[in-house]
Amino acid sequence: MRYTLRQLEVFVAVARSESVSRAAEALSLSQSATSTALAELEKQFDTRLFDRYGKRLQLNELSRQLLPRAIELLDRANEIESTLAGEAGIGPLRIGATLTIGNYLATLLVGEFMRQHPGSRVNISVHNTATVVRDVAHFELDLGLIEGEIQHPDLDMFPWVADEMVIFAAPEHPLARKESVTLEDILAVPWILREPGSGTRQTFEFAMRHVLGRLDVRLELEHTEAIKRAVESGLGIGCISRLTLKEAFRRGSLVPLEVPGLDFRRMFHFVLHKQKFRTAGIEAFIDLCRDAARDVERSDEIVLRRPDGQPVEYR
């Protein structure tokens, strides 16, 4: 073979970071060793794998075709190494989740996954939908868990569990005291919403598409908990997943506002790159997620338990 796994590791790290120095840092190599490994790989095959713009290296047509194959080969090599070493764990596994899923489901599912597969190495990052989709498309994540739907030519998306968003307010809000709330009522008050680019905002805007121009959006926040606190303070009304409001509704610190005619139903999805090799770890984590949602109709009905068997409660 005219190339080594180390050369492929360097190639993949440079492709992901578009920088030799950042790739060297990620691989715990010196910058000169990283540059040498990349240069030798290109010299051995008399080709260029990157277009160079100053210190920035950008994939060319050849390297775009090579990248998913190199990642697959390295993933398989890691699995072989783990088997030969007698390691019980599955990994490494890089998971990305949107804020709603990440803060209320994914971290607990990762905990259960690591309990079932001791020694596994899992990294989980929590961002909005646009960021998770971008990172899966760039092979920076093995698997994404997202809200809503996306269209991307390089990605496969398949459903996990249904979710429903709900309009809500503080119990002291004037609309909370009304026996019935109409569309005109909610158009007359301030709103606190998630930021553009989030799956929650995408679903909200689609449901409200005929009246978007009439909405009084006072605040746009990236975090669900910040929206809940702002609504509790009486700054306006909001609309987020029922999953994130379950305990607040139970305590009575927030109340739902049911508005006839509005449909805030959506799906949580898995998203993977079409050319991504599905390791045993990826398949095992997807199976775990599906098992957790097997007998429920909505995400807020999923019950995740601590190691002592007690259900997890959210604030």
Side-chain angles (χ1 to χ4, degrees), residues 60-75:
N60 58 28
E61 186 60 34
L62 173 62
S63 55
R64 273 193 289 270
Q65 295 176 30
L66 176 61
L67 181 59
R69 298 173 186 176
I71 292 173
E72 176 179 348
L73 182 55
L74 292 172
D75 285 342

Side-chain angles (χ1 to χ4, degrees), residues 44-95:
Q44 283 168 314
F45 294 93
D46 191 24
T47 190
R48 278 196 170 275
L49 295 171
F50 296 93
D51 295 327
R52 288 154 170 86
Y53 301 95
K55 293 184 177 181
R56 181 167 168 262
L57 283 74
Q58 186 171 306
L59 290 169
N60 58 28
E61 186 60 34
L62 173 62
S63 55
R64 273 193 289 270
Q65 295 176 30
L66 176 61
L67 181 59
R69 298 173 186 176
I71 292 173
E72 176 179 348
L73 182 55
L74 292 172
D75 285 342
R76 289 181 184 270
N78 282 326
E79 288 193 335
I80 291 171
E81 185 175 18
S82 296
T83 301
L84 289 172
E87 295 177 0
I90 296 177
L93 185 60
R94 298 164 303 157
I95 299 170

Side-chain angles (χ1 to χ4, degrees), residues 134-280:
R134 181 200 67 196
D135 289 349
V136 173
H138 291 172
F139 296 99
E140 294 173 17
L141 293 172
D142 298 316
L143 170 69
L145 304 173
I146 65 169
E147 308 153 35
E149 298 186 8
I150 53 101
Q151 299 290 331
H152 195 291
D154 298 326
L155 303 182
D156 281 330
M157 182 180 69
F158 46 102
W160 172 25
V161 64
D163 181 64
E164 183 182 45
M165 291 166 46
V166 60
I167 300 172
F168 66 102
E172 301 82 14
H173 194 282
L175 294 186
R177 303 190 187 103
K178 295 194 64 172
E179 290 187 6
S180 61
V181 179
T182 67
L183 181 61
E184 291 302 318
D185 289 330
I186 62 174
L187 292 174
V189 297
W191 282 84
I192 301 165
L193 297 176
R194 280 287 306 278
E195 81 288 359
S198 67
T200 295
R201 183 65 174 265
Q202 177 191 46
T203 301
F204 176 81
E205 290 188 346
F206 182 78
M208 302 287 286
R209 61 193 179 278
H210 300 303
V211 292
L212 279 180
R214 298 173 59 191
L215 286 173
D216 179 11
V217 181
R218 295 288 179 88
L219 276 176
E220 295 177 324
L221 300 171
E222 292 186 0
H223 296 287
T224 298
E225 291 304 311
I227 293 175
K228 288 160 66 175
R229 298 292 87 78
V231 172
E232 283 179 351
S233 300
L235 297 180
I237 63 174
C239 184
I240 55 179
S241 171
R242 193 178 290 274
L243 167 68
T244 69
L245 294 162
K246 183 165 59 173
E247 291 305 314
F249 287 168
R250 183 182 62 80
R251 295 193 312 267
S253 58
L254 294 167
V255 296
L257 300 178
E258 304 295 343
V259 182
L262 294 180
D263 184 5
F264 290 110
R265 291 174 297 177
R266 60 181 179 175
M267 291 293 298
F268 289 164
H269 289 90
F270 303 105
V271 59
L272 296 102
H273 200 288
K274 290 179 178 178
Q275 299 184 64
K276 174 66 182 174
F277 168 61
R278 297 190 185 182
T279 64

